Amino acid sequence: MLPSSNFDVVPTSLLPPNASRYELLRAGPEPSEVKVMLTIWAVVSLLVAIAGTTLVVAIISSRRTRHSAFDLYLAALAVPDLFLGWNCFIACTIRTGDGAYEAHGALCLWQGVFTSFGVAASFWINAIVAHDLYALLLKTKQCENYSPPTPAVVLCRCICAYAFSALVSSVPLFQGFPVDIYMLRGLICTPVDTDLTSTVLYWLGLTPFITGIPMMYTCGVILVCWHRELVPNFPRLRFAHHSSAKETPQDLLASGTTGDAQERRARRARAVSLYFFRLFLALIGMQTPGLLLLLCLPIRSPWAFWVGGTMIHLQGLMSVAMGMAKPSVWQAVRDLLGCNHLRAKHANTVAPAPGIILPAKGRNSNPSPIPARLSSQ
């Protein structure tokens, strides 16, 4: 049963000069402006959806990337973006088509759920990546072998993060919960606080599980890595390897703790950690000001609110573009778009013509292109 709506959208021009934040959340733009705003959102969302889907399919279809834990995490980070992109494209298209979009109907409730899910899943997957990067950097500094999680473990962790994000995003649908889903500023449906009680519960009981806890955890891991100097600093490398008197050079070679091997390992760890650090900076650098413009700042202009939503949409496109900048992922994308894996599979399955014996590889093989049966005659 859908809850009753008392949060109808009103034109911004009808608001009093000293309108409160709750009144500004109900203020919407003119119908002609709505079509322009939502059309741009639909185009951006479609680009995000196509790019994110391409990235995920490319990583999964490549044998090299789908067996790499951090490449799989990169695909997991793109899943919320493509999910949000496809659903936003459909929602904006419906709104710009005939406008038949109830301010508190089933489509509005669904938009509120998938919007919160996309934001929550992105932050929780980043927290999981930060946990594994900390283990990688710690093992690297201690000159110990790091065993990355298997693809099955990565998949299990990501599914748990998605399930928890979906559960938290569905809480406003429960009867009796003070925070409900309404049409915000006449543009997007999302959980909205409508009074003091719902405001306290929204910011202290709901928001921490969507963005607060995973963002603070990731920032905490970054600060610990910086404080403990876990990220190798080149060209001077400092490792915390304490060899005992009983260790021989053969033991060091067997354990892989020689200088050259450790330098290569440290460079790879530094490159991976800084790569995902930039992805996290892109997330909080676009999501934080976007959410402030959407929910916090009491701004009268609907276009300022629209800019906040546009920043959140562009964050997905920026993250996917940065994901494709990774050499192994970019090669997987090129192979997917060029259908190289299909060509290789077809080439491996092509059998030689009947009656032709291919020359064996080796020192005594027949170098002549003439079949062996014909050349012996």
Side-chain angles (χ1 to χ4, degrees), residues 7 9 11 18 34 39 45 101 134-135 207 230 288-289 297 301 349 356:
F7 200 79
V9 179
N18 58 345
V34 171
T39 300
S45 298
Y101 202 99
Y134 174 78
T207 303
L230 296 183
T288 302
L297 301 180
S301 174
T349 56
I356 297 181

Side-chain angles (χ1 to χ4, degrees), residues 77 119-134 137 208 210-226 273 276-284:
L77 286 172
V119 176
S122 296
F123 278 96
W124 281 106
I125 296 296
N126 270 281
I128 296 175
V129 174
H131 172 79
D132 283 342
L133 285 177
Y134 174 78
L137 294 174
I210 295 179
T211 59
I213 295 177
M215 182 173 65
M216 295 301 295
Y217 178 81
T218 306
C219 292
V221 171
I222 294 174
L223 291 177
V224 170
C225 292
W226 172 78
S273 59
F276 281 95
F277 175 69
R278 296 187 189 99
L279 286 176
F280 180 69
L281 283 184
L283 176 66
I284 62 175

Side-chain angles (χ1 to χ4, degrees), residues 15 21 100 130 136 171 179 195 204 206 210 228 242 265 297 332:
L15 290 179
R21 173 179 170 273
L136 168 64
V171 168
V179 180
D195 52 27
L204 297 181
L206 186 63
I210 295 179
R228 300 184 63 178
H242 304 284
R265 187 180 302 174
L297 301 180

Side-chain angles (χ1 to χ4, degrees), residues 238-309:
R238 290 175 294 177
F239 299 104
H241 177 70
H242 304 284
S243 59
S244 62
K246 297 181 179 180
E247 286 181 318
T248 63
Q250 289 78 11
D251 296 332
L252 294 177
L253 288 173
S255 59
T257 56
T258 59
D260 293 340
Q262 278 302 314
E263 182 173 350
R264 290 193 299 269
R265 187 180 302 174
R267 289 184 182 277
R268 289 195 296 267
R270 175 184 173 88
V272 172
S273 59
L274 292 181
Y275 176 78
F276 281 95
F277 175 69
R278 296 187 189 99
L279 286 176
F280 180 69
L281 283 184
L283 176 66
I284 62 175
M286 299 291 286
Q287 291 271 8
T288 302
L291 293 175
L292 288 176
L293 291 173
L294 286 176
L295 301 172
C296 301
L297 301 180
I299 302 177
R300 294 182 64 94
S301 174
W303 285 99
F305 175 87
W306 177 82
V307 169

